[in-house]
Amino acid sequence: MNKIKRRYLIPALLLIAAAVGITVVNLYFSSADVLVYMYHSVREDPVNPEDADLSVRPEEFEKQLAFFAGDKRETIFASELADIDKGGKYLLITFDDGYEDNYTEVYPLLKKYNCKATIFMITSLIDKEGYLSAEQIREMTESGLVSVQSHTVSHDPLALGDKEYEDVDYEMRKSKLTLEAISGKAVDSVALPNGSYDPVVLDIAGNYYDIIFSGTSLRPDNSDLLDVQRTGIYRHHSTWDVKAMTNYRGLYTLKRIVQKYIGPK
């Protein structure tokens, strides 16, 4: 028994040392100047049981928003990424798809905590059951707390091979025009759906938008506004997770290592 314990002692110590090292480094570089978080739905009962992780519970979301409001970061819109001060601390809260609960659950809390958010809307779903209406979009964008930007027309994969060049161009152009007509405000940002894109898709999007949100990453760089990465926040994330990801990413990294190699996920 002692031999077995000794056999795993060194690997265990090395793992702990690596985790501590990651933690120390991440604590030293406590957080990026700009954090970009991606939500979808906020509701108790998931929109789709198969995608339950996309629906953050309202109670947890309010705790997270209260934390954001008390943090030293300024919440900004997607369009403001191009004009931020280099020495500042910022948080961009985004929502994908345009679920109706973004109005019924999220919007009241944004007003309560005076936080900004950007909603990336699938324009073909406007006024459809379970999604935002044109009237709701107008009300929120006029509040000064919500910006509604493009998530394309159909939410289909965009990489060439999935779509033709002309179809991608249509997805970019039509969604922009539709949202600008509804809100009366500039639509200068797009979130590419499903992580499906290639250099040509980025080039087409760049013809219509100043800022392109392309994929996801736990610790993005985001120095390139035409290829911005976001960090996803899901139902399985606790408020502690969100706090750790915001200010002490090393602690969150350590937790994930422990979950992967030692305990349950």
Side-chain angles (χ1 to χ4, degrees):
M1 190 66 175
N2 290 333
K3 290 182 178 180
I4 295 176
K5 289 183 178 180
R6 286 197 295 270
R7 177 183 177 185
Y8 290 101
L9 178 61
I10 294 178
L13 290 175
L14 290 174
L15 176 62
I16 292 171
V20 171
I22 292 173
T23 302
V24 171
V25 170
N26 280 293
L27 285 172
Y28 181 76
F29 301 102
S30 60
S31 53
D33 289 338
V34 183
L35 296 177
V36 187
Y37 287 159
M38 175 186 68
Y39 291 87
H40 288 79
S41 169
V42 174
R43 55 184 294 159
E44 193 63 41
D45 300 319
V47 176
N48 185 346
E50 295 180 357
D51 294 322
D53 211 28
L54 295 182
S55 296
V56 175
R57 290 183 175 87
E59 181 181 1
E60 281 298 318
F61 179 70
E62 180 166 8
K63 290 178 182 178
Q64 294 165 19
L65 206 59
F67 163 69
F68 295 149
D71 198 32
K72 295 181 180 180
R73 292 179 177 274
E74 177 185 351
T75 58
I76 61 174
F77 293 139
S79 59
E80 296 178 294
L81 277 177
D83 301 315
I84 58 177
D85 296 329
K86 291 184 178 180
K89 296 284 187 179
Y90 303 95
L91 172 64
L92 173 54
I93 304 170
T94 70
F95 290 84
D96 278 10
D97 302 341
Y99 292 104
E100 187 177 21
D101 58 60
N102 291 182
Y103 177 81
T104 59
E105 297 284 352
V106 175
Y107 182 45
L109 292 174
L110 293 176
K111 290 189 287 186
K112 179 178 179 179
Y113 292 100
N114 194 34
C115 289
K116 293 180 178 179
T118 298
I119 298 173
F120 291 106
M121 183 76 212
I122 304 170
T123 57
S124 64
L125 297 179
I126 295 173
D127 290 323
K128 298 293 177 63
E129 183 178 359
Y131 292 88
L132 294 172
S133 67
E135 182 179 352
Q136 290 168 337
I137 290 173
R138 277 191 291 269
E139 178 184 341
M140 289 192 293
T141 55
E142 288 172 2
S143 72
L145 292 176
V146 177
S147 173
V148 179
Q149 300 291 310
S150 173
H151 201 29
T152 73
V153 175
S154 68
H155 198 261
D156 290 341
L158 296 176
L160 298 191
D162 293 318
K163 277 191 177 294
E164 299 293 331
Y165 184 101
E166 294 77 11
D167 296 328
V168 176
D169 187 81
Y170 171 81
E171 293 274 352
M172 300 298 172
R173 174 174 48 82
K174 180 63 175 177
S175 58
K176 175 182 173 71
L177 292 175
T178 298
L179 290 171
E180 288 181 338
I182 291 173
S183 68
K185 301 182 183 298
V187 174
D188 54 17
S189 305
V190 61
L192 305 181
N194 301 313
S196 172
Y197 65 95
D198 53 34
V200 176
V201 171
L202 292 178
D203 286 343
I204 298 172
N207 292 332
Y208 299 99
Y209 302 97
D210 298 325
I211 304 174
I212 302 171
F213 295 81
S214 54
T216 58
S217 170
L218 178 60
R219 193 178 179 86
D221 175 12
N222 290 337
S223 58
D224 184 358
L225 294 182
L226 296 180
D227 191 6
V228 179
Q229 303 286 303
R230 295 181 288 167
T231 299
I233 306 295
Y234 301 103
R235 194 179 188 90
H236 72 267
H237 286 122
S238 67
T239 300
W240 184 95
D241 290 328
V242 174
K243 290 180 179 180
M245 284 189 283
T246 301
N247 288 324
Y248 303 105
R249 294 201 164 197
L251 292 179
Y252 183 72
T253 301
L254 176 59
K255 177 185 176 181
R256 295 301 297 160
I257 291 174
V258 171
Q259 288 176 327
K260 182 175 181 180
Y261 294 102
I262 299 176
K265 294 183 178 181

